[in-house]
Amino acid sequence: MVDRARIVPSTARFGLTDGRAEQELRAAGWWGDEGPVASREAVLAALSRAPDPDLALRGVSRLRESDVDGWPALEQALATDPVPRGRLLAVLGSSTALGDFAIARPGEWRRLAGKRAADHTAALLAAVEGLRGEEAVRALRAGYRGLLMEVAADDLGQLVEPELPVSGFTEITGELTGLADAALTAALAVAWAEAETADPPPATLTVIAMGKCGGRELNYVSDVDVVFVGEGDLALASRVASRMMRVAAQACFEVDAALRPEGKAGALVRTLEGHAAYYRRWARTWEFQALLKARPAAGDATLGERYLDVVRPLVWAAADRENFVADVQAMRRRVERHVPAGHADRELKLGRGGLRDVEFAVQLLQLVHGRGDEGLRLGSTVDALAALGAGGYVGRADAAELGDSYRFLRLLEHRLQLQRLRRTHLFPEDRDTAALRWLARAAGIRPEGAQSEGDVLLAAFRGHLNRVRRLHEKLFYRPLLEAVARVPTEALRLTTKDAQARLAALGYAAPDGALQHIRSLTTGVSRRAAIQTALLPVILELLADTPDPDGGLLAYRRVSEALAATDWYLRVLRDEAAVVERLATLLGTAKLVPDLIVRAPEVLRLLGDPEELAGLDPDEVARSLRRTVRRHGYLGNAVAAARSLRRHELLRVACADLLGFLDVLPVCTALTTVWCAVLQAVLGAVIRAESVAADGRKADITVIGMGRLGGGELGYSSDADVLFVCDPLPGVSDAEAVAFASRVAQSVRKLLGAPSQDPALHVDVDLRPEGRNGPLVRTLESYRAYYSQWSEVWEAQALLRARPVAGDDDLGARFIAAIDPVRYPDGGLDSVRIREIRRIKARVDTERLPRGADPTRHTKLGRGGLADVEWTMQLLQLQHAHQLPTLRTTSTMDGLTAAAATGLIEPEDAQSLREAWLLATRVRNAVTLVRGRPTDQVPTSGRELVAVARVLGHPVDTDPGAFLDSYRRTMRRARAVVERVFYRD
């Protein structure tokens, strides 16, 4: 049996796996014969929390061996004080380079226990004071490395001792930047001292920090990008600048001046005037992007501020340059292409989803929107991202997620660079479990459930890369940026007199009124006002290209105010340029759209996807509508649901139609299908309600579509022409059945025709037998008897487009079978009936055309219009459908195709009639959308004519009168065919 009392604890309990661990612990006095020394448990626990416990212990052992005299003090500090314990063990367990530095300089560890250096610049200047050459370099190197170790201890200490203060990303990068500024200042002091010039020197020099140093977000190991500006003796200034770069490179970090004008081929030091001349005349787009972070870091502060006064206005005008956005995007793609293929998925900085994705996106947004918003003019990436989110230029969630991912990737970058103080941005390979474990622990990541810390890190890393890339593509390649960039900077100031003049120049008829709308939308300090301020310059430009900019802007204001509480409305406009462009087109073209959008705003989301906007199957839409209505038990709610869904579908179809994504026949089909679905759903709901009230259903009921409803050819202004047919259930008399069905029909008409803000839902029953004097509902047998004994030829003509659209399918089929002999009379029509049809048509032409209407512009009753084509087709059906089954269709277009195929009319004539019918239908729909109310007359001039012409695809830059001429020519050709075919003997 094992004697458990004799089991000695393993060093692995503290994460120590090196074979030398127990020996080193014993040498330090932290491990006895029976295991750890109880009084030193705190040290061992701290070691276990170090990123690499073995590395930390090895570092302590080397310190003990290199400074025997100082070991008692160090051992006492580690044992009793969590501050030096946490800070030193964290540094030793994270960075071999800093460990080597501490070991090479006995007593250096005291930096991590005592008071921090308050002023890095003063400390480094003191270190190099009076020194020259290599002696100065060594002193600067030691001073810099010691201060860098302090920063690392601030960064890492809480990993080992959790109660130590946590230094966040901003604090650490700020400290690293301040240390870099101090090093530049000290290196410059050495360079000036070695120049041995007069006092004061005959030259002035300032060092402008660029890149991450300029943005106060420096890494542990990074080139420091600078630009030099000088005055006076430029030869002397250049020698000093060159020497400063060498001193800094030997002691601290590489100093890169390649961002100067003309790059490495340009002069190292230029005057302020030389910089200004270059940037005004020769600078490329990326150079202004680089200047975004410029700030004085060392040297003459006054000259540095004068430099900023010169370049800042140029930076914030850069987005006015032609192809600015495209140039920045192309630069990012070039950077991506230079990433080695084998490193693409591991490259923290340059790869897809890496740091550059965040930085390029933020800088592009700053440069475009910062022209009009000074709050975005920040050098720090995280600060600028927060400002973009606060200002509404980026969604709050997007800004927060992107900032979180950026800080996470920068954290990994810092830890990787600290390890050996080498410039690296390469994430460990998936199979390198030891490196993944170390990096995870250094980043504060612990195991989660069955996942090791390395697995957790790997999953987090990939998740952040995917998130960054998704948001980068959303923001960086956002088409709206190009639209905003195209707006001149002066046009971004929306409430000045200059803006009023610009609005007039853009084509706004009432620029003062437009300014009122702008003020209403942008006044205040709310996030909503900020987003509107960013959007409106683009929207004003887009509306200026529409037929009615003033009306469009008013509509935009109405929609924006009505949807102010809709949290996603402005976000969709900001994030999806296609939605903004298409919404502007709709609002500046069609008056029917704004009211519908206010009541069906969800359709706005579809504007960004033409397939989703126009590609829905009408039958599936109808099924969805009927299912939704059936879920409502209360009749009022059922009807409200049906009307709401019809409103949504009407707006969707109208938007797709106006934007050119739907042709005229699919528009008619979609409008007809949703009308039929509404009838079916409401009829079913009313029948259920009436059945409850009447102690049971008394009859089967079907609704027969007539006219354009029956033909599947409804437009936006069409009524629903119907017949109500009933059939008594067994044991129910005809009178009871008709009374029941009449109550149902009256209720359906009343509920659908009730006043509302939506386009009317008028159910017209005037085509029933005996017209307005006849009963609202008849039984099937009553219809059969009437049509066999009393019907007139015009009623047979009306029945040509009859088809069941709602209600009982079997009853509908029996009704169609009953009327087929009436509408397709055996032997066709005799001459008397043909003359009767022509006589009625002549009366329609002369009596129903509105007083004062122009017959060449009336889409329905005008010459060559809808009535001409439909009457011609229907006469052919009445004459020949009894022997030509292909003519038995309710569709005018299908009928014309069949008539041409059977030789009843020439193919050219059929084509002329088809073109006229389609054009008249499109124009009738367009005029209704443009005016916002039903109308059949084509406008002759003004913005309504321009709008109708634009909707029908007439070129923007041509006279809309040409469209009217084209319309009349098409109608004349059709009229000529009508006169040959309809009136021939």
Side-chain angles (χ1 to χ4, degrees):
M1 175 178 286
V2 177
D3 184 356
R4 296 185 180 276
R6 301 287 300 168
I7 296 177
V8 177
S10 168
T11 57
R13 167 187 166 190
F14 301 101
L16 297 165
T17 58
D18 192 310
R20 297 169 295 180
E22 184 174 335
Q23 178 184 346
E24 291 174 337
L25 289 174
R26 288 180 182 277
W30 298 338
W31 199 270
D33 292 338
E34 301 300 323
V37 176
S39 62
R40 298 297 185 261
E41 285 274 359
V43 177
L44 295 172
L47 275 171
S48 73
R49 293 189 290 267
D52 186 338
D54 288 310
L55 182 63
L57 178 58
R58 181 90 280 273
V60 170
S61 296
R62 291 173 66 198
L63 282 171
R64 176 178 52 78
E65 293 165 357
S66 65
D67 187 9
V68 175
D69 293 339
W71 170 246
L74 173 57
E75 199 276 339
Q76 179 67 16
L78 291 174
T80 61
D81 191 344
V83 174
R85 181 170 62 232
R87 289 164 64 83
L88 178 59
L89 293 183
V91 169
L92 293 176
S94 300
S95 176
T96 57
L98 289 177
D100 290 344
F101 169 75
I103 291 161
R105 298 177 64 85
E108 197 71 22
W109 63 268
R110 297 179 188 277
R111 284 178 174 271
L112 308 184
K115 198 170 182 180
R116 291 275 323 275
D119 187 337
H120 291 167
T121 301
L124 293 185
L125 284 174
V128 300
E129 185 175 6
L131 302 179
R132 305 285 188 276
E134 287 303 312
E135 191 176 11
V137 169
R138 285 193 297 271
L140 179 56
R141 182 187 302 120
Y144 176 80
R145 191 62 63 91
L147 292 172
L148 188 66
M149 186 169 67
E150 292 183 19
V151 175
D154 287 346
D155 191 4
L156 299 162
Q158 48 83 30
L159 294 175
V160 173
E161 293 293 348
E163 67 271 20
L164 293 184
V166 176
S167 294
F169 169 79
T170 302
E171 290 81 8
I172 295 302
T173 54
E175 284 192 51
L176 291 170
T177 304
L179 181 54
D181 288 355
L184 290 173
T185 300
L188 184 60
V190 171
W192 275 117
E194 293 179 355
E196 297 182 350
T197 65
D199 187 17
T204 303
L205 184 67
T206 190
V207 183
I208 304 298
M210 309 283 278
K212 283 190 171 66
C213 186
R216 301 184 188 279
E217 291 179 336
L218 198 61
N219 304 334
Y220 278 98
V221 184
S222 176
D223 289 353
V224 172
D225 296 306
V226 301
V227 169
F228 294 103
V229 186
E231 285 185 338
D233 186 346
L234 291 190
L236 172 61
S238 296
R239 289 196 302 274
V240 170
S242 181
R243 177 57 182 158
M244 186 214 83
M245 292 175 66
R246 290 195 300 273
V247 170
Q250 292 168 1
C252 311
F253 42 71
E254 293 291 331
V255 178
D256 191 342
L259 293 178
R260 66 186 183 269
E262 301 181 75
K264 294 180 179 179
L268 181 62
V269 180
R270 286 182 185 239
T271 64
L272 187 58
E273 293 74 18
H275 279 280
Y278 174 83
Y279 287 125
R280 289 191 180 110
R281 187 170 183 183
W282 303 110
R284 289 169 291 176
T285 297
W286 68 264
E287 294 180 274
F288 293 106
Q289 187 179 353
L291 285 171
L292 182 63
K293 295 179 180 292
R295 66 173 180 84
D300 190 275
T302 302
L303 180 57
E305 289 302 321
R306 287 167 54 205
Y307 173 84
L308 291 187
D309 290 342
V310 169
V311 299
R312 276 173 177 159
L314 301 176
V315 169
W316 300 112
D320 289 335
R321 294 162 64 97
E322 187 175 358
N323 297 322
F324 169 78
V325 172
D327 285 348
V328 177
Q329 293 169 341
M331 171 64 77
R332 176 62 187 125
R333 287 191 288 268
R334 283 196 296 273
V335 171
E336 282 185 30
R337 287 196 294 269
H338 284 87
V339 177
H343 294 171
D345 295 335
R346 297 167 51 212
E347 175 59 55
L348 284 167
K349 181 178 180 181
L350 304 178
R352 292 170 61 84
L355 297 168
R356 280 289 187 267
D357 271 359
V358 180
E359 292 160 0
F360 265 77
V362 170
Q363 289 165 21
L364 181 56
L365 288 163
Q366 281 182 275
L367 290 167
V368 170
H369 296 297
R371 296 175 298 161
D373 187 346
E374 295 185 2
L376 301 180
R377 299 179 181 182
L378 302 167
S380 160
T381 300
V382 293
D383 290 348
L385 185 55
L388 287 165
Y393 304 98
V394 174
R396 287 189 184 93
D398 290 349
E401 289 182 1
L402 203 57
D404 179 56
S405 292
Y406 184 74
R407 283 185 286 268
F408 177 80
L409 296 177
R410 288 295 305 273
L411 173 66
L412 298 186
E413 178 187 48
H414 282 178
R415 298 298 182 260
L416 290 167
Q417 292 181 347
L418 260 177
Q419 193 171 28
R420 295 179 179 85
L421 286 187
R422 292 180 182 173
R423 187 174 60 181
T424 181
H425 310 94
L426 203 58
F427 189 80
E429 295 186 70
D430 292 4
R431 62 177 179 271
D432 192 346
T433 55
L436 287 171
R437 180 177 183 273
W438 170 83
L439 181 56
R441 289 172 62 88
I445 292 174
R446 295 291 181 256
E448 293 181 4
Q451 285 189 308
S452 69
E453 54 267 83
D455 292 336
V456 175
L457 169 66
L458 194 57
F461 173 64
R462 289 173 175 164
H464 281 288
L465 288 187
N466 290 334
R467 177 201 277 178
V468 168
R469 191 61 186 185
R470 172 177 59 82
L471 293 173
H472 169 78
E473 291 178 347
K474 175 181 177 180
L475 302 175
F476 189 66
Y477 296 104
R478 182 192 291 170
L480 183 62
L481 276 175
E482 292 191 43
V484 176
R486 286 195 297 268
V487 179
T489 299
E490 61 272 12
L492 298 174
R493 301 175 179 90
L494 298 172
T495 57
T496 65
K497 291 184 178 179
D498 290 340
Q500 189 168 347
R502 177 168 176 77
L503 288 168
L506 284 172
Y508 287 82
D512 53 341
L515 275 179
Q516 289 297 325
H517 299 319
I518 293 168
R519 291 191 185 100
S520 174
L521 291 167
T522 60
T523 297
V525 294
S526 68
R527 180 180 173 83
R528 188 182 305 117
I531 297 176
Q532 289 286 15
T533 301
L535 285 172
L536 271 167
V538 177
I539 289 171
L540 293 171
E541 295 264 347
L542 294 171
L543 288 172
D545 290 331
T546 67
D548 186 6
D550 297 87
L553 182 57
L554 172 60
Y556 178 74
R557 176 182 173 181
R558 287 169 49 211
V559 169
S560 295
E561 290 175 346
L563 302 183
T566 305
D567 59 356
W568 53 262
Y569 166 65
L570 288 176
R571 183 174 70 244
V572 167
L573 297 189
R574 179 197 60 214
D575 293 346
E576 299 187 37
V579 174
V580 175
E581 293 171 5
R582 289 165 186 159
L583 178 62
T585 297
L586 295 169
L587 297 181
T589 302
K591 293 181 179 178
L592 186 66
V593 168
D595 290 336
L596 288 174
I597 287 179
V598 168
R599 293 174 57 75
E602 62 277 3
V603 175
L604 282 175
R605 295 176 179 269
L606 307 181
L607 294 182
D609 185 351
E611 180 60 32
E612 192 173 1
L613 183 67
L616 295 183
D617 178 9
D619 292 331
E620 178 54 39
V621 171
R623 285 192 291 271
S624 176
L625 185 150
R626 291 192 293 268
R627 285 195 299 268
T628 301
V629 173
R630 275 199 299 270
R631 288 197 289 267
H632 293 277
Y634 174 60
L635 178 59
N637 291 343
V639 174
R643 297 187 71 143
S644 174
L645 292 167
R646 185 249 184 177
R647 177 195 316 131
H648 177 283
E649 184 66 2
L650 182 62
L651 177 58
R652 182 189 71 83
V653 173
C655 291
D657 186 3
L658 288 162
L659 295 170
F661 299 142
L662 275 182
D663 207 351
V664 59
L665 289 179
V667 167
C668 293
T669 298
L671 294 175
T672 302
T673 304
V674 73
W675 231 127
C676 293
V678 169
L679 274 173
Q680 178 75 45
V682 174
L683 178 69
V686 172
I687 288 175
R688 290 191 293 272
E690 286 293 336
S691 298
V692 172
D695 294 327
R697 185 163 59 90
K698 305 298 183 183
D700 290 328
I701 302 173
T702 192
V703 180
I704 305 299
M706 305 287 282
R708 301 180 76 81
L709 177 64
E713 298 163 353
L714 283 184
Y716 299 103
S717 60
S718 302
D719 293 338
D721 292 310
V722 302
L723 302 177
F724 286 98
V725 185
C726 72
D727 196 33
L729 292 178
V732 179
S733 67
D734 284 0
E736 288 179 300
V738 169
F740 174 83
S742 295
R743 290 195 300 273
V744 169
Q746 288 169 347
S747 183
V748 168
R749 295 186 68 208
K750 180 180 179 181
L751 290 169
L752 290 179
S756 120
Q757 294 176 313
D758 297 334
L761 282 159
H762 181 58
V763 179
D764 192 333
V765 293
D766 286 352
L767 291 179
R768 67 188 186 271
E770 302 179 71
R772 296 179 180 178
N773 296 321
L776 179 62
V777 182
R778 287 175 182 260
T779 64
L780 175 60
E781 292 306 316
S782 176
Y783 275 106
R784 183 181 284 117
Y786 175 85
Y787 286 130
S788 65
Q789 297 180 48
W790 309 106
S791 70
E792 300 180 30
V793 67
W794 70 265
E795 291 178 295
Q797 181 183 354
L799 289 172
L800 287 170
R801 294 206 280 187
R803 69 179 177 93
V805 295
D808 187 80
D809 292 336
D810 178 68
L811 179 56
R814 287 187 285 137
F815 178 86
I816 294 302
I819 66 169
D820 274 352
V822 179
R823 58 181 177 174
Y824 310 133
D826 190 24
L829 295 181
D830 56 29
S831 58
V832 174
R833 289 191 172 188
I834 292 173
R835 283 196 301 272
E836 176 65 11
I837 288 177
R838 290 171 178 166
R839 183 188 66 80
I840 296 172
K841 175 66 168 67
R843 286 189 59 191
V844 168
D845 289 346
T846 57
E847 295 178 10
R848 293 185 58 190
L849 189 69
R851 184 184 298 275
D854 182 349
T856 67
R857 294 187 295 109
H858 201 279
T859 57
K860 183 176 181 180
L861 301 175
R863 301 187 190 111
L866 297 172
D868 267 2
V869 177
E870 290 164 2
W871 280 67
T872 301
M873 184 61 242
Q874 290 159 15
L875 178 59
L876 292 174
Q877 289 178 296
L878 289 168
Q879 289 176 301
H880 304 286
H882 68 285
Q883 59 184 6
L884 297 174
T886 56
L887 289 178
R888 298 176 186 180
T889 174
T890 62
S891 164
T892 303
M893 293 296 96
D894 291 346
L896 287 173
T897 300
T902 55
L904 293 178
I905 58 175
E906 296 296 325
E908 296 80 4
D909 288 346
Q911 184 61 24
S912 294
L913 294 178
R914 175 187 295 274
E915 290 176 357
W917 190 92
L918 291 173
L919 179 59
T921 300
R922 288 190 68 197
V923 170
R924 191 185 191 205
N925 282 345
V927 174
T928 298
L929 292 172
V930 167
R931 288 185 171 174
R933 61 183 187 277
T935 184
D936 293 311
Q937 196 81 10
V938 184
T940 57
S941 61
R943 290 184 170 177
E944 287 186 348
L945 176 60
V946 173
V948 172
R950 190 81 63 88
V951 171
L952 269 72
H954 193 68
V956 175
D957 55 352
T958 56
D959 181 3
F963 157 73
L964 191 56
D965 293 340
S966 175
Y967 174 83
R968 285 171 167 155
R969 282 195 301 273
T970 302
M971 296 302 118
R972 284 197 299 270
R973 286 196 296 269
R975 181 65 181 187
V977 174
V978 171
E979 290 176 351
R980 284 199 307 275
V981 176
F982 186 78
Y983 292 106
R984 70 185 174 190
D985 293 329

